[in-house]
Amino acid sequence: MTDPTVNETTKSGGGGSDASRIGEVKQWLTQEFFQAGKEVPDFEYTPRSVAYLHNLATLSQAQTQASKILASDFRLKASEYRAQAARIGEILESVGLAQEGLASNVVSSAQVLANVANLLNIRDTELSSFLVAMGDISLRKTGVEEKRAKAQKESNVLLDYTRKAISRLTYLKRTLAQLEDDAGQCEAHIEHWKNNLALMLGKEKQYNQETVRFKDTLNRVGYTPDISHGVLVGLAEERKELEKKTKPVLDTLRSYQDLPPDKALAALAIEDKKRQYAAAEKYFEDVLHTALSTSK
């Protein structure tokens, strides 16, 4: 990834002419590759590459200079620390506490004390410094224990969730297996229903055709929705009444069949009965038309 500082410097364009930039870039590349024990590879010096390398060289030289300053400061501090150590050594030697004159167990104890001080990151070996460092460690320990308890609690919750998830997964697997077993039977039922559906569709088409045919027949005979069951029942009762009225006339006509063969009287009687029968039929038709008109 390109250093954002390099990109920012590249956008600014740097300073100096192109020739001076190329010279500075060549000098920097030669110096860097020489320190690495390699030769500078051949490449084309385009304006873009020259600008990028010039910015990179500027940053590298600035960082090198900063590193030199820090190294010089560290060397100065090291010399000061050595001088202080020599001075402290002289003081210890003057009071008879030189390291050469101490017992080995004392030296070992002092070394352990120094290691503990370095481990606790304290600047001296005073008791107060050790107590403060131990208190800080105790506080850190308490914080770590609290975090550990919290993590343990969260771990238990996650473990419970995991167990429930595993249980649900097992249940879903059993359900899936049951559904797969029932799939065959369901497919057989579906096939049966498809066959029945095809049959029902055929029956529906047939019934629709018959319904159309019946409607045509009803229209042809003059049926209207106003002719209900009650109207037909009433007409049937009227017919029965007319049959009761015409029955004596028919019986009288039949009795004339037993008369003596007097043609003139028989003819008169027959004509009279015919007129009565025609009048009864006309009355029946009038009643029927009146009932139909009333229902409409």
Side-chain angles (χ1 to χ4, degrees):
M1 182 178 295
T2 307
D3 192 338
T5 309
V6 175
N7 288 336
E8 191 66 27
T9 311
T10 303
K11 293 179 181 178
S12 64
S17 62
D18 294 340
S20 62
R21 283 188 174 188
I22 294 174
E24 293 174 2
V25 167
K26 288 183 177 180
Q27 181 180 0
W28 176 72
L29 289 175
T30 303
Q31 181 181 357
E32 295 297 327
F33 277 92
F34 176 77
Q35 292 177 359
K38 298 180 180 179
E39 295 182 357
V40 180
D42 295 332
F43 64 93
E44 183 180 358
Y45 288 89
T46 62
R48 182 177 180 182
S49 62
V50 170
Y52 182 84
L53 291 174
H54 183 269
N55 294 330
L56 188 61
T58 303
L59 290 174
S60 176
Q61 291 171 357
Q63 291 178 359
T64 302
Q65 185 65 25
S67 300
K68 289 180 179 179
I69 294 173
L70 288 175
S72 177
D73 182 63
F74 289 154
R75 284 193 293 270
L76 178 61
K77 289 182 178 180
S79 62
E80 292 176 355
Y81 291 153
R82 283 194 295 270
Q84 185 178 3
R87 185 169 59 254
I88 293 173
E90 291 177 356
I91 294 172
L92 291 174
E93 185 176 358
S94 64
V95 296
L97 295 177
Q99 182 176 355
E100 294 78 5
L102 297 176
S104 59
N105 58 346
V106 176
V107 175
S108 300
S109 299
Q111 188 65 41
V112 170
L113 186 62
N115 292 335
V116 172
N118 290 329
L119 181 62
L120 295 177
N121 194 22
I122 57 179
R123 301 182 62 181
D124 53 47
T125 57
E126 295 292 335
L127 179 60
S128 59
S129 300
F130 279 99
L131 292 177
V132 172
M134 292 300 295
D136 183 60
I137 290 178
S138 298
L139 293 175
R140 292 182 182 180
K141 179 183 177 183
T142 303
V144 171
E145 288 178 349
E146 291 178 355
K147 291 181 180 179
R148 180 182 179 185
K150 183 179 179 180
Q152 184 66 32
K153 185 177 179 180
E154 293 177 353
S155 176
N156 293 333
V157 173
L158 292 175
L159 181 61
D160 185 52
Y161 286 160
T162 304
R163 289 173 179 172
K164 291 180 180 179
I166 292 174
S167 177
R168 291 180 182 178
L169 178 61
T170 304
Y171 172 74
L172 290 175
K173 286 183 178 180
R174 287 200 302 267
T175 304
L176 178 60
Q178 183 65 33
L179 291 175
E180 290 177 350
D181 294 338
D182 295 340
Q185 299 178 2
C186 292
E187 289 177 357
H189 287 302
I190 291 173
E191 190 65 26
H192 178 68
W193 291 338
K194 284 183 179 179
N195 296 333
N196 289 341
L197 179 61
L199 180 62
M200 294 300 293
L201 290 175
K203 289 291 185 180
E204 180 185 6
K205 185 177 180 181
Q206 178 183 353
Y207 293 154
N208 289 334
Q209 293 176 352
E210 291 180 356
T211 301
V212 173
R213 187 169 65 253
F214 291 152
K215 286 182 179 179
D216 293 339
T217 302
L218 292 175
N219 293 331
R220 189 168 56 253
V221 298
Y223 171 79
T224 59
D226 298 329
I227 304 177
S228 61
H229 178 71
V231 174
L232 294 176
V233 171
L235 292 176
E237 292 177 354
E238 293 289 339
R239 182 175 179 276
K240 289 180 181 180
E241 292 294 330
L242 291 174
E243 286 179 349
K244 289 180 181 179
K245 292 180 180 181
T246 56
K247 188 175 183 302
V249 177
L250 293 175
D251 292 339
T252 303
L253 289 174
R254 293 190 187 93
S255 65
Y256 286 153
Q257 294 178 356
D258 299 332
L259 294 175
D262 188 347
K263 293 183 178 181
L265 294 174
L268 290 174
I270 289 170
E271 289 296 331
D272 183 53
K273 296 300 180 184
K274 284 182 177 180
R275 284 194 299 272
Q276 293 179 5
Y277 185 74
E281 284 185 347
K282 186 176 184 304
Y283 175 74
F284 176 74
E285 290 178 357
D286 292 339
V287 171
L288 179 60
H289 285 297
T290 301
L292 291 176
S293 301
T294 302
S295 63
K296 290 180 181 180

